Amino acid sequence: MENGVRGDRTDIDSRRKTFGSNLLPEYNLRKTFRRLVLEAIRDPMIAVLFICAVLSLCFGIEKHGLRQGWQEGLTKILAILVVVIVSSSGKFWPITQCLEFSVISSYIPETDVVRSSKWQRIPICRVLVGDIVFLKPGDQVPADGLFIDGCSLNTEMTKTDGQIDRIEVDAHENPFLFFGSTVVDGYARMLVTGVGKNVKHHGISLRGSLIDELKIITSIVGKSGKTVALLTFMVFLVRFLTGKLHDDNGKRVSFGGETRIGDVLAVIVGIVATPTMIALTSTPEDLVSAVRTCLAYSMKRLMKIQILVREPLICHKVASVTTVCMNKTGTLTMDSMEVTKFWQGLNSIEEVQHNLIAPSVLELLHQGIGLNTTQPPSRSSSSSPINSTEKTIFEWAVKQLGMDVESLKKSCTILEINPFNSKNRQSGVLISKNGDNTIHVHRKGAPEVIIPMCSHYYESTGNVKVMNKGSLALFEQILAGMAENGFRCIAFAHRKTSIRDYFTFSRQQLILLGLVGLTNSRRSGTRGTVEDCRRAGINVKLITGDNKVTATIMATKCGIIEPDYQPGEVIDGEEFRKFSSEERMAKIENICVLARATPDDKLLMVQSLKQKGHVVAFIGRGIGDAQALREANVGLCFGTQGAEIVKACSAIVMSCKDFPFIIDILTWGRGIYDSVQIYTQFLLIASFVALVIDFVMAVSSSEPPGLSAVVAVSTGKIPFPVFQLLWMKLIAGTLAVLALNIEKPSQDVMRRPPRNMKEPLITAQMRKKIGAQALYQIAIFLVIHFKGKSLFNVNDKEKDSLVLSTYILCQAFNIFNPRLLEKNIFEEMQKKKLLLSIIGLIISIQFIMVELLNGFSETARLGFGQWGLCIAFSAAPSMVTWFVRCIPPLGNFKFPMLKPKID
């Protein structure tokens, strides 16, 4: 219980073998790929095509013999297998990326354990059953276990419904600690009892609203396809029963008569196969997988610049952010700090060297700095506290005040620790000196909290002076001067007491030991980033625990407020809390800086903004930011030094040092959502147009449907034969995904206001575009289908090739159309080489299929004039879109003769 497990290799292997490791079961990628291939093969469309290809192989051998008859059917089978592998690979890649993100995000947390009497910090995945773990505020509980000892331990657990449970843990009433909970207050030692798959899970089952919306769209389109398929089936059935179907020789096909039973069965197969194919091809099943591919690729790109997106589906909220609230320390400023001021009594460190400070006062300073920290009580003496503020002061005391940590810890025994609390803004320690058994209490924290608790103060000579009104005013001047220079101030106080008096003495009887002033440099690019946010329609607010003066100076430097800011733009937490609900809602949008904010103030600010209709992003770092991060629509945190609870509450973790990466995240969210909308629009146009073409071409044919799917699939009597269906599926499911979703977002996305989060994925403007494009394409295809032979002087097969080529080229231009709305289109196109390459690839493959592989693709070669018609029909909507885009708004056009006359 004191020394921990042995921790050698034999002990570790034995415990892992007996109790398991603190890892979830490994994901077998090879099995995953095989599963995806099997799922692709079981895809109803692929299954029907495969059956048709096998029948084509059989009928080809029967008709042309084994030597020549196998080629067409076997080629179709191989083509289907190629599409299956390509489709499975496209779905497999996002899974590998998500696993990579999961590994990175899951194994970052570390914890303190004692092994062989030595405290060490290890990743939680290495925790063993039997380990003694030290927990402090902000830590994640690394496994299931039991409370051993500690003080005021409170944890938070997220339930399956998303609600937060705050749990008090002690040795008597509730000694149980569970994996995944986080420590919000107090400290403790715990004994690990369960790891890995043996822990009691309390995970959240969240569904992405964006994915849900995409599934709804897929379902609606699928139902439309099934309705059209049912109508097609009814038309075929009526025509069959009324004897209006004829075979290739012009004979009526019906039961009995001269029709062979085999031909009748073939027609029945065709009657079923054609509507089935229409129903299967109309469902845009690739929509959800395309979005996942897009998210995986974009997350990988962000990881290269040290931005980890823990919740990929947060993109639609990021695209809607209207207000960014941020803390100062660790957000606008760097993580690293430096002690640049120290006041001993009313004297500054520049005037008094530490070797001139009275030894008795110096000893008390060593105790207040070296022992009043949040770290394992038996941790290595050479290590400093984990908290960045404590660490900076700790290291300063060692270097500047000559603090010997090892001898200090040997000379004193810690009796009780009161960890730092964001609400009380102070921490304390009760110690006993081993030499004379005297009891001492030390406090440190915000000066406005500590100084009112002091009745006296120490001078550097060791003399104790009364804290009267005059000296109190001088201390206030010192604090005001430090605030004006942007210092973060920490006060230290002390009192000698006894165990009996400790619980009864007045907290106003402490003696002030000194004031420490810390500075940390501002992150680069903060002012430019704030301006970029404003141009994008995003408000920026500073919410900090620093005093009003320090907060105002920082906000002015960053451009959040102007030097001549208006009344009401800068307030403190106390004033904010006193507002009534009505006053707060009326003034909330005008507040730019909230100083002296407690964690509850930060939470209240986020809640009020959300009630006002804002979509809020909160950027935090400390434990006091956890509630606001959890409440915000988008939680972000900076750096790798933040508490684990902060990372757990954040959807996005930034390890980069520069503030402008906020713009990269906002651009990512807007760009990803735009890509999802563009791909959805593309897929819906392609699906609806194909649905109408399938229906019209199928019911307008006077021949029996499917006499080669038996007949139809291999002779092309259903709208699109096997090769053509596979080619269309490859365009929609793979090439279009790459073209629309993998390019970097344009900077134009940050030149417009945020999207309305209540607005559906398919907006009213998108519905207009989908309707216009679909109607145009359908009109063109109907003209080609019904009048193409006479208008263009082509035969039936050439006419079908015209329909297919025009359809493919229309979808290629549909990929390009949304980019015509960008302001600097030619400049942006130079950056989007992949987009242009894929469009060129689609057009090239279509040309090769028609001109060189027409035997396999069941098409006819087209002349230059016919190709020109296909391109003209396909490019016309793009030209109209570009032309309309170039027309300036009439509201911006000024007529010189209408200028007002100035007297």
Side-chain angles (χ1 to χ4, degrees):
M1 295 293 283
E2 295 298 327
N3 301 329
V5 300
R6 294 198 313 274
D8 55 44
R9 175 51 55 188
T10 303
D11 185 39
I12 291 174
D13 291 344
S14 175
R15 289 176 184 274
R16 285 180 177 169
K17 183 178 180 180
T18 306
F19 304 108
S21 64
N22 205 22
L23 291 169
L24 294 176
E26 293 186 3
Y27 211 87
N28 192 319
L29 292 177
R30 187 175 298 177
K31 289 183 178 179
T32 301
F33 184 73
R34 287 201 298 264
R35 179 176 56 81
L36 289 173
V37 171
L38 291 175
E39 287 179 359
I41 292 174
R42 288 196 293 265
D43 181 323
M45 175 181 166
I46 295 295
V48 171
L49 289 178
F50 187 79
I51 292 172
C52 293
V54 171
L55 291 173
S56 176
L57 175 64
C58 296
F59 278 91
I61 293 174
E62 180 186 4
K63 186 175 181 179
H64 301 290
L66 180 61
R67 179 168 295 183
Q68 296 181 348
W70 63 270
Q71 297 177 356
E72 183 178 346
L74 185 60
T75 304
K76 290 177 180 179
I77 293 173
L78 292 175
I80 292 171
L81 293 177
V82 169
V83 170
V84 165
I85 293 173
V86 171
S87 174
S88 301
S89 300
K91 294 178 180 178
F92 179 71
W93 184 79
I95 292 176
T96 61
Q97 300 308 304
C98 290
L99 285 175
E100 181 181 341
F101 304 142
S102 175
V103 168
I104 291 173
S105 60
S106 296
Y107 294 168
I108 285 178
E110 294 184 338
T111 192
D112 291 290
V113 301
V114 60
R115 291 180 179 174
S116 298
S117 304
K118 295 180 180 179
W119 284 95
Q120 51 188 290
R121 193 160 180 82
I122 62 172
I124 64 172
C125 59
R126 296 182 184 174
V127 169
L128 305 169
V129 169
D131 266 330
I132 307 299
V133 176
F134 180 80
L135 299 173
K136 62 184 183 301
D139 280 352
Q140 176 181 320
V141 177
D144 287 358
L146 293 171
F147 179 94
I148 299 174
D149 53 34
C151 176
S152 306
L153 185 67
N154 283 269
T155 64
E156 281 187 352
M157 174 68 70
T158 304
K159 298 189 294 186
T160 53
D161 59 0
Q163 297 297 314
I164 305 297
D165 263 355
R166 185 157 182 154
I167 305 167
E168 184 175 349
V169 183
D170 56 37
H172 304 290
E173 299 294 330
N174 179 31
F176 303 106
L177 289 155
F178 295 106
F179 168 77
S181 57
T182 50
V183 179
V184 294
D185 198 8
Y187 71 92
R189 290 191 308 148
M190 70 169 281
L191 171 66
V192 175
T193 59
V195 295
K197 63 182 181 180
N198 297 319
V199 303
K200 182 178 180 181
H201 290 284
H202 295 269
I204 311 174
S205 177
L206 294 178
R207 300 180 63 190
S209 59
L210 181 61
I211 294 295
D212 290 342
E213 197 167 357
L214 292 172
K215 288 181 178 179
I216 292 172
I217 293 171
T218 302
S219 175
I220 292 173
V221 178
K223 289 177 181 177
S224 302
K226 290 179 176 65
T227 302
V228 173
L230 181 61
L231 291 175
T232 306
F233 175 76
M234 296 300 294
V235 170
F236 284 163
L237 186 62
V238 170
R239 289 171 62 186
F240 175 71
L241 294 177
T242 56
K244 293 184 179 180
L245 293 180
H246 299 79
D247 60 18
D248 292 333
N249 298 319
K251 295 181 180 180
R252 187 169 61 89
V253 178
S254 62
F255 287 111
E258 299 179 359
T259 307
R260 293 184 305 168
I261 188 63
D263 291 340
V264 174
L265 291 176
V267 170
I268 294 174
V269 170
I271 289 174
V272 174
T274 301
T276 302
M277 194 63 68
I278 290 175
L280 296 177
T281 56
S282 66
T283 305
E285 296 175 347
D286 295 314
L287 187 55
V288 174
S289 62
V291 172
R292 287 175 175 151
T293 301
C294 175
L295 291 171
Y297 192 90
S298 62
M299 287 165 62
K300 190 176 183 68
R301 184 186 294 132
L302 287 175
M303 284 183 64
K304 291 180 180 178
I305 56 175
Q306 296 179 301
I307 297 174
L308 175 65
V309 181
R310 299 180 65 249
E311 298 178 21
L313 294 174
I314 201 76
C315 65
H316 73 293
K317 293 182 180 179
V318 175
S320 306
V321 168
T322 59
T323 302
V324 174
C325 299
M326 61 187 71
N327 196 2
K328 180 180 80 71
T329 305
T331 302
L332 290 176
T333 60
M334 302 291 288
D335 287 328
S336 57
M337 292 184 175
E338 182 182 3
V339 176
T340 52
K341 282 285 185 181
F342 176 61
W343 289 83
Q344 177 71 61
L346 298 175
N347 297 317
S348 172
I349 194 172
E350 286 85 2
E351 300 171 6
V352 179
Q353 299 298 320
H354 78 267
N355 55 5
L356 299 179
I357 299 175
S360 59
V361 177
L362 196 61
E363 182 184 10
L364 294 175
L365 283 170
H366 290 171
Q367 292 173 5
I369 295 172
L371 300 178
N372 190 6
T373 62
T374 303
Q375 63 171 339
S378 302
R379 206 172 172 196
S380 172
S381 59
S382 60
S383 60
S384 59
I386 299 167
N387 179 280
S388 61
T389 304
E390 287 186 346
K391 180 179 180 181
T392 301
I393 298 175
F394 192 95
E395 293 175 348
W396 168 78
V398 172
K399 294 177 182 178
Q400 299 296 325
L401 300 184
M403 183 174 71
D404 186 338
V405 183
E406 188 171 353
S407 61
L408 175 66
K409 291 189 175 182
K410 289 180 179 178
S411 65
C412 300
T413 300
I414 297 176
L415 302 177
E416 184 180 6
I417 294 178
N418 297 121
F420 178 82
N421 186 293
S422 298
K423 293 182 179 179
N424 299 329
R425 300 168 64 200
Q426 61 169 304
S427 64
V429 63
L430 182 68
I431 65 171
S432 170
K433 285 188 64 176
N434 297 333
D436 55 12
N437 292 326
T438 55
I439 306 297
H440 300 261
V441 59
H442 286 270
R443 295 273 174 181
K444 72 174 179 185
E448 60 270 23
V449 175
I450 299 297
I451 291 179
M453 299 168 64
C454 298
S455 58
H456 297 75
Y457 67 91
Y458 279 105
E459 290 186 321
S460 59
T461 58
N463 295 329
V464 177
K465 292 289 191 75
V466 176
M467 184 77 75
N468 54 33
K469 290 183 179 180
S471 57
L472 187 61
L474 290 174
F475 277 114
E476 289 176 354
Q477 289 179 14
I478 292 172
L479 293 174
M482 294 175 74
E484 289 175 359
N485 288 284
F487 288 99
R488 184 178 189 183
C489 193
I490 304 295
F492 290 85
H494 158 267
R495 183 173 182 83
K496 184 177 178 181
T497 183
S498 65
I499 293 293
R500 183 185 62 187
D501 295 338
Y502 172 68
F503 297 100
T504 59
F505 86 94
S506 171
R507 290 294 189 266
Q508 280 70 40
Q509 296 174 357
L510 294 175
I511 305 173
L512 184 66
L513 278 172
L515 301 172
V516 173
L518 302 96
T519 57
N520 46 359
S521 56
R522 185 162 52 98
R523 291 186 187 271
S524 61
T526 51
R527 191 177 188 90
T529 302
V530 171
E531 292 173 356
D532 289 341
C533 286
R534 288 213 175 103
R535 278 194 292 269
I538 300 172
N539 300 314
V540 179
K541 300 182 186 294
L542 175 61
I543 308 176
T544 177
D546 291 321
N547 62 50
K548 210 170 184 178
V549 177
T550 304
T552 302
I553 292 171
M554 178 58 69
T556 305
K557 288 181 179 178
C558 295
I560 296 174
I561 57 174
E562 298 298 328
D564 56 344
Y565 61 89
Q566 300 298 315
E569 290 186 350
V570 180
I571 65 172
D572 59 30
E574 185 177 359
E575 184 181 356
F576 183 67
R577 289 189 294 274
K578 289 180 179 178
F579 287 153
S580 64
S581 298
E582 293 77 13
E583 287 178 315
R584 190 178 300 112
M585 295 305 291
K587 298 179 180 180
I588 191 73
E589 292 184 327
N590 190 45
I591 299 172
C592 296
V593 178
L594 181 62
R596 284 302 180 209
T598 66
D600 289 339
D601 294 334
K602 297 176 183 180
L603 176 62
L604 184 58
M605 171 65 84
V606 174
Q607 290 173 335
S608 301
L609 286 168
K610 289 174 68 177
Q611 289 174 15
K612 195 72 175 179
H614 287 268
V615 179
V616 183
F618 190 93
I619 309 173
R621 180 180 176 277
I623 300 171
D625 299 328
Q627 290 179 320
L629 284 167
R630 189 184 288 118
E631 178 65 26
N633 300 98
V634 181
L636 306 95
C637 68
F638 258 114
T640 56
Q641 296 182 6
E644 299 303 335
I645 188 175
V646 176
K647 295 177 187 176
C649 295
S650 301
I652 300 172
V653 179
M654 299 169 286
S655 299
C656 42
K657 296 182 179 180
D658 295 329
F659 193 72
F661 280 112
I662 297 294
I663 296 298
D664 288 334
I665 292 171
L666 294 171
T667 304
W668 164 79
R670 293 187 178 191
I672 289 294
Y673 196 82
D674 279 1
S675 295
V676 172
Q677 285 187 312
I678 290 171
Y679 183 73
T680 303
Q681 178 179 310
F682 163 83
L683 206 56
L684 290 180
I685 293 172
S687 298
F688 281 127
V689 172
L691 191 61
V692 174
I693 296 173
D694 285 348
F695 177 73
V696 172
M697 293 180 69
V699 300
S700 62
S701 174
S702 62
E703 298 180 7
L707 269 177
S708 156
V710 173
V711 171
V713 171
S714 42
T715 62
K717 298 305 179 185
I718 67 169
F720 296 113
V722 173
F723 270 109
Q724 299 172 16
L725 285 170
L726 292 173
W727 173 223
M728 291 162 61
K729 184 177 178 66
L730 192 63
I731 290 176
T734 305
L735 295 180
V737 174
L738 294 174
L740 292 171
N741 293 336
I742 294 183
E743 290 284 1
K744 289 184 179 180
S746 166
Q747 291 303 315
D748 280 349
V749 299
M750 293 302 290
R751 298 190 184 105
R752 62 173 187 253
R755 65 173 288 270
N756 185 350
M757 198 165 72
K758 295 181 181 179
E759 191 175 56
L761 178 67
I762 302 179
T763 63
Q765 187 69 18
M766 286 177 63
R767 288 195 291 270
K768 291 179 184 177
K769 292 178 182 177
I770 292 170
Q773 281 280 354
L775 288 175
Y776 170 81
Q777 292 185 29
I778 289 169
I780 291 296
F781 297 138
L782 291 179
V783 170
I784 296 174
H785 179 66
F786 289 108
K787 298 294 182 180
K789 293 172 67 175
S790 58
L791 288 176
F792 308 120
N793 193 26
V794 294
N795 57 35
D796 284 334
K797 200 163 189 178
E798 291 173 336
K799 179 195 69 175
D800 291 342
S801 296
L802 273 174
V803 172
L804 175 67
S805 298
T806 305
Y807 175 83
I808 295 297
L809 293 181
C810 277
Q811 308 325 314
F813 279 100
N814 260 345
I815 296 174
F816 182 74
N817 278 344
R819 309 301 177 188
L820 295 173
L821 299 178
E822 295 171 352
K823 289 187 176 180
N824 303 317
I825 175 176
F826 297 108
E827 181 182 340
E828 289 296 331
M829 283 298 103
Q830 292 176 2
K831 300 176 183 177
K832 300 184 183 299
K833 295 180 181 178
L834 178 62
L835 173 69
L836 297 176
S837 300
I838 290 177
I839 292 175
L841 179 65
I842 292 173
I843 295 174
S844 300
I845 293 177
Q846 179 61 24
F847 181 83
I848 292 171
M849 283 180 60
V850 172
E851 298 299 325
L852 303 179
L853 301 176
N854 46 52
F856 292 115
S857 61
E858 303 176 37
T859 58
R861 299 180 66 179
L862 301 177
F864 288 108
Q866 293 162 346
W867 276 110
L869 284 173
C870 292
I871 294 173
F873 289 144
S874 306
S878 300
M879 297 300 102
V880 173
T881 302
W882 183 79
F883 179 73
V884 172
R885 173 69 185 81
C886 292
I887 298 175
L890 292 178
N892 295 336
F893 190 84
K894 298 179 181 179
F895 295 91
M897 69 286 293
L898 297 181
K899 287 183 178 180
K901 201 171 184 179
I902 301 175
D903 295 331

